[in-house]
Amino acid sequence: MATTATTLDGIGAHPHVDAHHDSFVRRYIFSTDHKIIGIQFLLMSLFFLMIGGILAMFIRWQVGFPGKPIPGGGVLPETMAPGGIVLPEFYNSIVTMHGTFMVFFAIMPLLVGVFGNYLIPVKIGAPDMAFPRINMASFWMAVPAGFIMLAGFFVEGGHAAAGWTSYAPLSANPELTGVSTGQVLWSVSLIILGLSSILGSFNYITTIVNMRAPGMNWFRLPLSIWSLFITAILVLLAMPVLSGAIIMLLFDQTIGTHFFRPDTGGQPLLWQHLFWFFGHPEVYILILPGMGMASDIIANGARKPIFGYTSMVIAIMGIGFLGWGVWGHHMFMSGMNPTLGTGFMISTMLIAVPSAIKVFNWMGTIWRGNIQFHVPMLHSMAFVSMFVIGGLSGLFMASTPVDIFIHDTYFIVAHLHYVLFGGSLFAIFGAITYWYPKMFGRLMNPFWGKVHFILTMITFNLVFFPMHSLGSQGHMRRIYDPTQYEFLRDLQWVNEMISMAAFVLFASQFIFAANFILSWTKGERAGPNPWNDNGLEWSLPSPPPHGNFAVTPTVYRGPYEYSSPLVTEDFLPQDLKLEGNRESAAHAAGH
Amino acid sequence: MDQGSVMEAPVQAEPGAGVYNEKLGMWVFLASEVMFFTSLIGSYIILRFAHPEMWKGPGEVLNVALTAGNTFLLICSSVTMVKAFAAVQDGDQAGLRKWLIATTLIGATFVGVQIFEYMKLVEHGFVPSEGLYGSTFYTMTGFHGFHVTIGVICLIFVTMKAFQGKYTATDHRGVEVVGLYWHFVDLVWIILFTIVYLI
Amino acid sequence: MSWFLPPGASTFAGDIDWLYYMILIMTGIAFVVVEVGLIWFLFAYRNRPGRKALYYHGNNRAEVIWTSVTAIAVIATGLLSAGVWDDIKGRESVPAGAMMVGIRAQQFEWHFKYPGPDGQLGTADDDSTRNQLHIPVDTPIVAVMTSDDAIHSFFVPAFRIKQDAVPGMTIRVWFNATKAGKYEIACAELCGLGHYRMKAMVTVYAKDDYNRWLGDTSRRSASASESSSVAPRPVAMNHEGGSH
């Protein structure tokens, strides 16, 4: 008996618009509705983004003003900052946890957990995810993982202090850091979070493959969905490798195994290979959905089709595929065979190409457009321009001889923040602002959106651009007190300036937070399609009902038919049926 | 509204993978499991090649005969699983229940024998902290055993549902999907048995 | 604040600095083209009453051109870099007859060992110093490195050398200092709470001065107290007397 694709009805998720009579708990706490789960991830991730930001403030206070007491820091325990002066061991924990929270509990869930969940069903015309209950489980596993990670601050010995990269044997041997329970909690938290991510990933893949509405063929998918699809494949295949590595680390820490302990045959480099085999696809996980959503927003803002849609898709696939072969570029100085280094250098150079294609195509999209500077468009243009800087700085470290000098310096810190903050976080700000009306039925305040954008854009560059210079002078990273080194003392004024800009950068985020919170109840009410976008979600009420589409939509065209000659408006929704055969002429023209 | 079986359908979505969601989902999930076991097994291979002297020969520490028997049992349980699936495809409810019980019991026995083997090894001083040999042995076989245990728990659920008559000739997704997982777990064991016990 | 590298003092500096500046120029041009292009487009194509966007889906020829240019530029950078990398880190590239020095990285100091009068490293007459490396100018030196505990990284900015010191591994790194003087050594891999103060000093002597240092018998004692910032080895989180 043939087993073929199921109907949308067949999976048991009937599109219906009638009110559910479930309890508050069932509807909003233990919900299986992808939209509610997406919002749950949003609230959780924004909380952890704030935690990551607070930790960054500690870092910048200490680096900018070493040995000076933090104003009000007297409230911190003696084990962390006696008299408000950060201890070196606490500093190492802060650096570790800033990276850990930002990567795993802020950026990754914001891109994958929030927008993967929220956008996929509504943008492909499905009533929900393929596995709604597994989706709920995915969120409710991330929450305890977050608690466990927070708990590490309160245990004896303090939190993990071996960097977010947790290199062994520093991380495996408590004697080397004085940290034992904290590192164990770090490991356990990430194992649980990894499982949460894996559950999400096969849900997303199954949904995108099997549940696209009629007419939504692969080359009519929005780039946000393409990027989330490739990202889900990366999560699926990379997270388990991290889980395996962390399990081995956990066993070294707790039951005395020898995976990474050299005195008994273990190999510290094995940890690095495993970690970065996961870690490099991870950084593409952290950027691809941002690229996809920025594409959607840029086409909308420019009122113009995406330039080179097919190459954009191929570039996403290229980045996803090539990303598996570059992990060794994090290990050029590690002591691994130098010939491997050369191989990884070549593969790393190559991966610049698909990213460059995307940048040129974004430029091609706004070329001869009719650009509306709504707040999401501002953030998306910032995304492109800042990502370019991050990408270009990557070329320096890709060159192995140059990396000899800049590895483990602030040049790397500059690069990673340009791609993760300048890239991912700006894309996230744009995406939150863009889909906020769909999620909550109200618009965020555009004036304060612009104020937040301008302040963030200026201070972000003041903080991170000078770090290229620090790195090119040899300023090492993860350094509690740079003034210990004579060659760094003349640069200390730069650190001070960066820190002051960082405090303003952090403060500016309260504008976004206030806008987010207040608009929930006081924002201007939004209709179904405030941005005049073509995607399927914009045909639904804001917010959409449980089950999304009362009638399964039929898709007639791609998502970027802006300024089409077939209609008078400058947009043309994917599911709008046009009379007569006007479309076939356009199709004959080759799109 | 009867659309016919959920395992085959007229197309109201774009043509997807050609298999129903649960089956596609399980295949995709198993890809992640391949990566997980590869990280453990790959690490073992790297560590062993670098220090072969830290391993004992086959049979010196581990009970190859007992585990070979256990391996045979696990392979049998894959056969009974196939028979369960074939039974429900033919609408044979009694056969389904019989073969599901067999699979579950054999699976549970496998886990039991492994636990017994671990106890004996620990008694003789072979523990996870016993060098690289112990570290890799317990981590690989332990996580495999953990996956088999999860499989047994799922089999219990599926068996219970079979007794409640929840599976029909036209809809037996749970049986097929748990079967896929079970065969995967068996395949991983065949690989592990070979490289851990026989080499 | 500058994009210029600090003065180099080794034979590697020429090649590495050249590569760095070449990449700086190449990325600088790309940066200007893209950012100016973006700003210009945002201005020129901004929404104005009566304006309509061009309904345009792409241009294959343009894509082929800019993709090829990018690919050629990055591959050329890679190929140019590969030769330099091989000369510096290649296992066959250590010059024959290079003077051997042993480096042991530890939490949180650097231990250096010299061959002593018999010219062999690892024999009874080896000299050792703590946090002070003494080498002659214009002489290839090969450092044989390991670590006693965590991973550290031996970084001398002026020499443009960096190499992780990994416990359980013995790794060679060679260099040739070209200017006499004193240069700082930093640890460039997070190694624990004292990572930030794991600094040492390398003194490069003119050839005659180096022989004088070698011949100075008072320096032959293994417990040379020439280290600058030595701190007690930390064990627990609450170690007394924070060291900053």
Side-chain angles (χ1 to χ4, degrees):
Chain A
M1 187 181 289
T3 49
T4 55
T6 186
T7 63
L8 294 172
D9 290 338
I11 57 149
H14 305 276
H16 55 253
V17 201
D18 56 313
H20 257 240
H21 298 291
D22 289 332
S23 65
F24 179 86
V25 172
R26 188 70 183 79
R27 283 177 77 176
Y28 295 113
I29 312 288
F30 292 108
S31 170
T32 55
D33 185 320
H34 71 100
K35 301 185 289 299
I36 302 294
I37 295 171
I39 294 172
Q40 287 175 320
F41 268 112
L42 181 61
L43 299 177
M44 183 193 89
S45 314
L46 288 175
F47 169 74
F48 282 115
L49 185 68
M50 182 189 70
I51 299 282
I54 291 171
L55 293 170
M57 293 304 103
F58 280 117
I59 295 173
R60 285 319 315 178
W61 179 270
Q62 172 56 31
V63 175
F65 312 103
K68 298 253 168 21
I70 306 169
V75 303
L76 290 166
E78 291 281 302
T79 48
M80 294 181 185
I85 301 174
V86 173
L87 284 173
E89 50 268 46
F90 182 51
Y91 179 80
N92 288 348
S93 289
I94 300 172
V95 161
T96 302
M97 296 319 299
H98 167 74
T100 303
F101 276 119
M102 285 303 203
V103 169
F104 291 110
F105 289 93
I107 304 294
M108 193 168 158
L110 273 169
L111 289 171
V112 184
V114 177
F115 290 103
N117 262 311
Y118 201 93
L119 295 182
I120 291 173
V122 289
K123 285 187 93 64
I124 68 173
D128 207 301
M129 288 286 183
F131 311 116
R133 283 170 303 178
I134 291 181
N135 207 12
M136 179 180 75
S138 170
F139 175 73
W140 284 108
M141 288 179 76
V143 173
F147 275 118
I148 293 172
M149 194 57 89
L150 283 169
F153 281 117
F154 302 101
V155 300
E156 201 187 313
H159 216 324
W164 85 279
T165 47
S166 199
Y167 277 16
L170 187 69
S171 55
N173 184 348
E175 279 176 29
L176 298 179
T177 48
V179 176
S180 121
T181 314
Q183 190 71 51
V184 168
L185 290 175
W186 183 94
S187 302
V188 169
S189 165
L190 289 184
I191 290 170
I192 298 173
L193 191 71
L195 194 50
S196 156
S197 300
I198 292 166
L199 290 182
S201 69
F202 75 80
N203 212 347
Y204 294 3
I205 293 168
T206 307
T207 307
I208 293 173
V209 172
N210 263 7
M211 294 174 66
R212 288 164 289 125
M216 181 64 87
N217 63 45
W218 286 97
F219 286 94
R220 288 181 181 163
L221 279 175
L223 290 171
S224 50
I225 304 302
W226 264 113
S227 61
L228 284 163
F229 178 64
I230 300 296
T231 301
I233 296 174
L234 295 181
V235 171
L236 182 83
L237 300 176
M239 295 299 307
V241 176
L242 178 71
S243 303
I246 293 184
I247 282 166
M248 290 187 253
L249 180 67
L250 188 60
F251 284 178
D252 269 19
Q253 293 162 335
T254 51
I255 61 175
T257 52
H258 301 265
F259 292 103
F260 309 118
R261 294 196 189 218
D263 42 326
T264 38
Q267 293 182 28
L269 255 55
L270 177 63
W271 167 264
Q272 291 183 45
H273 280 292
L274 287 168
F275 181 84
W276 287 117
F277 187 78
F278 147 78
H280 200 85
E282 168 71 4
V283 311
Y284 292 116
I285 291 167
L286 296 174
I287 193 70
L288 280 174
M291 290 175 155
M293 293 190 290
S295 289
D296 285 6
I297 294 171
I298 289 173
N300 176 283
R303 315 309 295 164
K304 198 165 160 275
I306 274 281
F307 186 103
Y309 171 88
T310 308
S311 342
M312 288 296 245
V313 172
I314 295 174
I316 293 172
M317 294 204 259
I319 291 170
F321 178 73
L322 289 174
W324 291 99
V326 301
W327 84 88
H329 69 221
H330 301 271
M331 294 172 62
F332 285 148
M333 305 304 133
S334 66
M336 76 175 176
N337 190 326
T339 311
L340 282 180
T342 304
F344 281 116
M345 166 167 68
I346 303 296
S347 58
T348 304
M349 290 289 178
L350 286 175
I351 206 166
V353 178
S355 301
I357 291 174
K358 295 189 83 69
V359 169
F360 291 130
N361 284 12
W362 285 315
M363 290 178 76
T365 304
I366 63 172
W367 170 77
R368 297 189 65 178
N370 184 19
I371 304 169
Q372 327 261 1
F373 292 100
H374 51 59
V375 174
M377 183 63 168
L378 293 174
H379 282 290
S380 302
M381 294 320 306
F383 159 81
V384 174
S385 57
M386 299 298 100
F387 175 75
V388 164
I389 297 176
L392 290 174
S393 67
L395 286 173
F396 289 82
M397 53 205 73
S399 164
T400 39
V402 178
D403 192 52
I404 295 175
F405 189 74
I406 59 176
H407 172 67
D408 253 292
T409 66
Y410 265 84
F411 202 100
I412 309 291
V413 178
H415 164 74
L416 77 90
H417 285 93
Y418 263 92
V419 285
L420 281 176
F421 189 142
S424 307
L425 193 53
F426 273 112
I428 287 167
F429 284 140
I432 290 177
T433 310
Y434 200 69
W435 278 283
Y436 188 99
K438 187 55 58 185
M439 289 180 185
F440 301 111
R442 292 179 190 263
L443 288 150
M444 286 178 75
N445 183 297
F447 172 75
W448 290 108
K450 289 181 175 146
V451 171
H452 164 251
F453 168 75
I454 291 170
L455 281 174
T456 303
M457 181 69 164
I458 293 173
T459 50
F460 162 77
N461 280 290
L462 285 176
V463 171
F464 294 107
F465 201 79
M467 289 187 183
H468 293 106
S469 176
L470 288 180
S472 69
Q473 304 305 303
H475 193 315
M476 302 78 69
R477 62 187 289 202
R478 297 169 167 174
I479 290 290
Y480 169 76
D481 180 1
T483 63
Q484 295 282 312
Y485 290 87
E486 219 179 290
F487 79 100
L488 296 181
R489 279 190 208 126
D490 286 342
L491 299 172
Q492 188 54 22
W493 71 274
V494 181
N495 275 325
E496 285 177 23
M497 187 202 75
I498 289 175
S499 294
M500 294 195 285
F503 301 147
V504 181
L505 175 62
F506 180 72
S508 306
Q509 305 318 303
F510 286 106
I511 300 175
F512 179 82
N515 197 354
F516 184 92
I517 293 169
L518 293 175
S519 300
W520 198 321
T521 47
K522 295 196 177 11
E524 182 194 323
R525 284 201 188 272
N529 195 356
W531 311 110
N532 288 339
D533 191 295
N534 297 330
L536 293 180
E537 76 272 33
W538 303 104
S539 68
L540 296 173
S542 300
H546 185 61
N548 298 336
F549 299 91
V551 173
T552 304
T554 304
V555 173
Y556 299 97
R557 62 190 69 83
Y560 302 118
E561 294 300 285
Y562 292 99
S563 301
S564 164
L566 298 177
V567 289
T568 46
E569 301 83 13
D570 68 353
F571 68 106
L572 179 48
Q574 288 194 267
D575 61 335
L576 183 67
K577 190 167 171 38
L578 292 177
E579 299 318 311
N581 238 351
R582 283 181 282 169
E583 208 116 28
S584 46
H587 277 288
H591 34 259
Chain B
M1 158 173 40
D2 180 21
Q3 292 281 317
S5 161
V6 291
M7 292 178 76
E8 59 168 285
V11 174
Q12 265 204 28
E14 272 292 300
V19 294
Y20 57 93
N21 285 355
E22 288 79 358
K23 186 162 165 178
L24 175 63
M26 177 53 76
W27 275 110
V28 174
F29 171 68
L30 289 178
S32 78
E33 294 279 61
V34 167
M35 294 307 287
F36 175 71
F37 281 106
T38 302
S39 74
L40 297 182
I41 295 174
S43 300
Y44 159 76
I45 292 172
I46 290 169
L47 291 168
R48 187 162 179 180
F49 262 104
H51 283 285
E53 74 283 2
M54 294 193 179
W55 265 260
K56 297 272 175 13
E60 277 181 53
V61 175
L62 303 174
N63 190 335
V64 179
L66 176 67
T67 314
N70 216 14
T71 305
F72 175 71
L73 275 183
L74 197 61
I75 295 174
C76 287
S77 74
S78 265
V79 175
T80 55
M81 186 68 230
V82 171
K83 286 197 124 15
F85 182 64
V88 75
Q89 278 185 315
D90 289 337
D92 176 5
Q93 291 291 331
L96 171 69
R97 292 168 199 181
K98 173 176 77 180
W99 292 115
L100 276 177
I101 289 179
T103 310
T104 311
L105 285 178
I106 300 175
T109 306
F110 177 89
V111 179
V113 169
Q114 266 225 293
I115 293 176
F116 169 76
E117 191 202 356
Y118 276 12
M119 283 164 53
K120 279 268 162 283
L121 287 168
V122 170
E123 244 174 61
H124 286 113
F126 184 63
V127 287
S129 50
E130 184 60 30
L132 286 177
Y133 189 16
S135 306
T136 52
F137 171 79
Y138 280 102
T139 306
M140 290 190 293
T141 58
F143 271 94
H144 176 263
F146 171 69
H147 279 79
V148 177
T149 307
I150 301 284
V152 169
I153 293 170
C154 292
L155 278 166
I156 291 173
F157 274 116
V158 168
T159 310
M160 279 171 21
K161 281 182 74 167
F163 272 86
Q164 290 163 359
K166 291 278 166 69
Y167 301 115
T168 65
T170 48
D171 184 4
H172 44 271
R173 285 173 287 170
V175 179
E176 184 168 22
V177 154
V178 91
L180 280 173
Y181 178 81
W182 193 251
H183 297 314
F184 172 77
V185 146
D186 189 6
L187 177 63
V188 172
W189 180 251
I190 292 169
I191 296 170
L192 275 185
F193 177 64
T194 310
I195 64 176
V196 173
Y197 287 81
L198 299 183
I199 297 181
Chain C
M1 241 203 295
S2 93
W3 282 84
F4 291 108
L5 300 173
S10 84
T11 54
F12 295 154
D15 282 334
I16 289 178
D17 291 11
W18 181 88
L19 270 172
Y20 170 87
Y21 290 121
M22 187 207 78
I23 295 173
L24 182 60
I25 291 170
M26 190 178 77
T27 54
I29 292 171
F31 170 77
V32 168
V33 166
V34 172
E35 304 290 2
V36 168
L38 274 172
I39 293 171
W40 174 30
F41 287 178
L42 288 172
F43 177 72
Y45 304 116
R46 67 198 186 282
N47 165 255
R48 272 154 290 161
R51 191 182 159 68
K52 204 156 161 61
L54 177 67
Y55 180 66
Y56 191 75
H57 288 85
N59 184 319
N60 285 339
R61 195 155 148 267
E63 293 217 58
V64 167
I65 292 173
W66 60 52
T67 306
S68 314
V69 169
T70 308
I72 291 168
V74 297
I75 291 175
T77 309
L79 293 175
L80 285 168
S81 304
V84 177
W85 173 249
D86 215 47
D87 290 341
I88 297 174
K89 293 277 179 147
R91 290 190 175 159
E92 318 295 312
S93 297
V94 179
M99 182 184 128
M100 277 178 98
V101 170
I103 303 184
R104 272 200 109 70
Q106 259 187 19
Q107 282 181 327
F108 296 102
E109 46 194 39
W110 299 94
H111 289 245
F112 302 103
K113 239 191 167 77
Y114 311 82
D118 70 350
Q120 299 271 32
L121 200 59
T123 55
D125 69 346
D126 288 354
D127 292 317
S128 50
T129 54
R130 191 168 54 183
N131 286 333
Q132 294 286 330
L133 175 60
H134 301 270
I135 54 171
V137 75
D138 292 327
T139 310
I141 314 282
V142 57
V144 181
M145 298 196 351
T146 189
S147 164
D148 283 347
D149 36 48
I151 298 177
H152 302 269
S153 192
F154 181 71
F155 177 37
V156 187
F159 295 172
R160 312 287 190 262
I161 56 162
K162 182 180 286 131
Q163 177 55 57
D164 286 2
V166 183
M169 287 174 78
T170 305
I171 301 169
R172 282 158 192 256
V173 59
W174 82 271
F175 55 93
N176 183 338
T178 51
K179 274 197 214 104
K182 277 181 180 297
Y183 307 96
E184 278 177 299
I185 300 170
C187 178
E189 185 60 56
L190 180 65
C191 57
L193 72 84
H195 168 60
Y196 73 100
R197 52 176 163 74
M198 192 165 154
K199 93 173 171 175
M201 211 64 161
V202 50
T203 308
V204 180
Y205 294 85
K207 288 268 173 48
D208 294 330
D209 297 332
Y210 187 71
N211 292 332
R212 211 170 300 133
W213 175 78
L214 269 184
D216 190 338
T217 43
S218 69
R219 286 181 199 238
R220 285 197 182 259
S221 67
S223 60
S225 56
E226 291 175 278
S227 62
S228 40
S229 51
V230 181
R233 196 182 167 122
V235 193
M237 177 91 163
N238 283 326
H239 81 284
E240 266 80 344
S243 50
H244 54 264

